[in-house]
Amino acid sequence: MKKAAIIGMFIIFFLTGMGEGASSSSEDVELVQRRIQELEQEMAAMKEVMSDLAEEQKRYEKQELPTVRDLFDTRYQLEFYGMIKFDAIWNSSKVAGLDGVSFFALPDRTDSDFSMTARQTRLGLSILGPEEDYVQKRGNIEVDFYGMNDAAERQDRAHMRLRHAFLELDYPGDWSLLAGQTWDVISPLAPQTLDLGVRSHAGNAGFRSPQIRLTRLFQRDEDRAFKAEMALSSPRDVNTRYHDDHLHAGAQGFGQDSGGPVLQARTSYNFPGLTENNSEVGVSGHFGRKEYHETNVSDNKKRADTWSVNLDYRLPLTEKLLLMGEGYYGRNMEAMYAGIGEGVAVRTEPSFQVYEISSWGTWAQMIYQIDKKWRTSLGMGISGNRSYAMDRAPLAN
């Protein structure tokens, strides 16, 4: 319409000029033609702008509100997970550890107890790096609510506890490097139970610890592989209530006071067994030192080693039946959640002496998978201690 109007005005102008007897020139005609071309170009540009605005409007109309994942959208994959767990527990006699952590029965068999807890509720975050990266990256953060200094009788005041927090780098050539807190290298298995705990002091050794771990996988073929693991872990003191009244570690624990880390190592073989699921057998061990001070005598100190040799196995017997277990022998095993919580024996007369306690333990479990939702298991664990003196004279068991 606009183009027709412009052409009409031009004709009127042209006729008017002729009517007035004005002489027309070729310059005037060229000027009008250029103006018409300019107007046509401007209209085409306006059409493009309007088209772009219309497309943008359509995109805004279809756009959804951003999700939490969009807000954290990176090259890394984040997966939140967890569970809410509630336990009601009745014991016919008192146990060492109420509210879901029943280590072992206490001598008093005449007094029952009852508790309820939701402390085993668990929250976690898994982090996975891009697959196209030269070095594969993954991490994990996981917590529950079995924090220290929680009174068993105050279930409404559970403290958060760190279970896992680590970053692992997988390098080409089947090498991997891990830094953070996770399961120990030694005795990596744990009995599967309804309550919390890994049956520490009842035949099992090892738990979780801050560590730096180096792993190498030797893949023989598609179904067979050797794995070698080595780690430097933080020394720790677990059951201070069992320590002798004549010992103290000042502001530090007995392990930290030694001034060195704990060395852990394990080698394992994964191979085809009786079923489609592979079997695995591993041998592991650890070595470290702990430093003990005589109470109120800061310069009178003794060092004691902590070490162990361990065996673990996981053997699928049928498609539904699994046998697994572990065994250990060592000294001063309190540092590894073993030895019934006792690591050393102390003698003050005629002089201050610290003796490592030898201990052993084993556990085994048979698990039967009834169907996809149900399974049942049967297992047992046993542990024993014997004091070890430098002069070969045994102390009290």
Side-chain angles (χ1 to χ4, degrees):
M1 292 294 292
K2 292 182 178 180
K3 183 177 180 181
I6 294 172
I7 295 174
M9 293 176 61
F10 171 73
I11 294 173
I12 294 173
F13 173 78
F14 180 74
L15 294 176
T16 303
M18 290 183 64
E20 293 177 354
S23 60
S24 61
S25 66
S26 60
E27 295 180 356
D28 294 334
V29 175
E30 292 177 358
L31 178 63
V32 173
Q33 289 177 345
R34 285 198 303 269
R35 183 55 182 165
I36 293 174
Q37 292 176 355
E38 291 175 357
L39 291 174
E40 289 178 343
Q41 293 174 357
E42 291 177 1
M43 291 177 63
M46 291 180 64
K47 286 181 179 180
E48 290 182 3
V49 172
M50 295 299 294
S51 177
D52 293 341
L53 291 175
E55 291 295 330
E56 191 72 18
Q57 181 65 27
K58 290 179 180 179
R59 285 196 293 268
Y60 278 115
E61 291 176 353
K62 295 180 179 180
Q63 186 176 8
E64 299 178 353
L65 293 176
T67 63
V68 176
R69 183 181 295 274
D70 295 330
L71 297 177
F72 293 94
D73 187 19
T74 66
R75 297 173 62 242
Y76 290 81
Q77 299 180 22
L78 308 179
E79 181 179 355
F80 294 92
Y81 65 92
M83 69 175 183
I84 299 175
K85 189 171 186 291
F86 171 78
D87 293 304
I89 306 163
W90 176 83
N91 296 303
S92 59
S93 60
K94 290 189 179 299
V95 296
L98 197 59
D99 65 1
V101 195
S102 54
F103 291 115
F104 49 84
L106 296 175
D108 186 359
R109 300 181 180 180
T110 62
D111 193 7
S112 61
D113 55 43
F114 176 81
S115 69
M116 293 183 178
T117 182
R119 295 174 66 184
Q120 202 172 341
T121 296
R122 192 175 300 172
L123 303 173
L125 170 64
S126 293
I127 306 170
L128 185 63
E131 295 183 359
E132 63 271 14
D133 283 1
Y134 180 75
V135 178
Q136 296 294 306
K137 309 171 187 68
R138 73 181 187 92
N140 183 238
I141 302 173
E142 184 177 290
V143 299
D144 62 16
F145 297 89
Y146 274 97
M148 293 296 293
N149 303 320
D150 289 345
E153 64 274 12
R154 290 307 306 267
Q155 295 299 322
D156 58 334
R157 296 185 181 181
H159 295 170
M160 186 175 290
R161 178 183 68 161
L162 182 65
R163 291 172 54 87
H164 299 278
F166 65 85
L167 171 65
E168 186 172 15
L169 305 177
D170 292 331
Y171 293 88
D174 295 328
W175 287 93
S176 68
L177 178 65
L178 180 147
Q181 177 170 305
T182 188
W183 295 110
D184 282 326
V185 171
I186 69 164
S187 298
L189 303 180
Q192 299 184 16
T193 59
L194 291 177
D195 63 341
L196 184 74
V198 293
R199 300 286 78 86
S200 298
H201 317 316
N204 191 22
F207 197 57
R208 294 181 293 267
S209 64
Q211 60 188 269
I212 300 175
R213 181 192 301 184
L214 183 64
T215 303
R216 172 67 193 277
L217 184 67
F218 299 90
Q219 193 78 42
R220 293 189 58 188
D221 53 41
E222 186 177 351
D223 297 324
R224 293 174 174 82
F226 285 96
K227 184 167 66 173
E229 304 168 89
M230 182 176 294
L232 294 177
S233 64
S234 175
R236 59 195 173 200
D237 301 291
V238 182
N239 298 296
T240 55
R241 66 174 180 270
Y242 292 114
H243 291 152
D244 193 276
D245 293 337
H246 298 282
L247 295 179
H248 84 99
Q252 295 177 314
F254 300 113
Q256 289 84 351
D257 203 23
S258 66
V262 173
L263 173 64
Q264 300 188 44
R266 176 177 179 261
T267 181
S268 59
Y269 180 48
N270 190 285
F271 57 95
L274 302 176
T275 69
E276 293 182 357
N277 298 320
N278 273 17
S279 300
E280 185 173 80
V281 176
V283 178
S284 58
H286 87 280
F287 179 83
R289 285 189 171 178
K290 304 181 76 173
E291 186 173 294
Y292 301 89
H293 293 252
E294 186 178 7
T295 303
N296 300 324
V297 184
S298 59
D299 59 344
N300 194 358
K301 59 185 179 181
K302 302 292 182 181
R303 286 192 174 185
D305 294 338
T306 169
W307 62 265
S308 70
V309 177
N310 310 267
L311 172 69
D312 61 88
Y313 55 90
R314 183 182 176 87
L315 308 172
L317 303 180
T318 69
E319 296 297 332
K320 293 188 175 183
L321 189 62
L322 170 67
L323 172 64
M324 66 177 186
E326 293 175 329
Y328 76 87
Y329 178 81
R331 291 179 184 162
N332 198 359
M333 288 294 291
E334 177 264 347
M336 288 295 168
Y337 283 78
I340 321 180
E342 297 177 324
V344 296
V346 180
R347 185 166 61 186
T348 58
E349 297 295 339
S351 63
F352 174 68
Q353 297 292 337
V354 175
Y355 303 99
E356 304 154 1
I357 296 177
S358 299
S359 62
W360 60 272
T362 184
W363 65 271
Q365 185 177 31
M366 192 83 72
I367 302 174
Y368 182 73
Q369 192 74 37
I370 301 174
D371 55 28
K372 293 182 179 180
K373 296 183 178 180
W374 293 92
R375 64 185 173 188
T376 184
S377 65
L378 176 66
M380 65 166 294
I382 186 172
S383 181
N385 286 357
R386 180 181 181 275
S387 296
Y388 172 80
M390 295 179 183
D391 58 2
R392 300 297 180 181
L395 300 182
N397 290 330

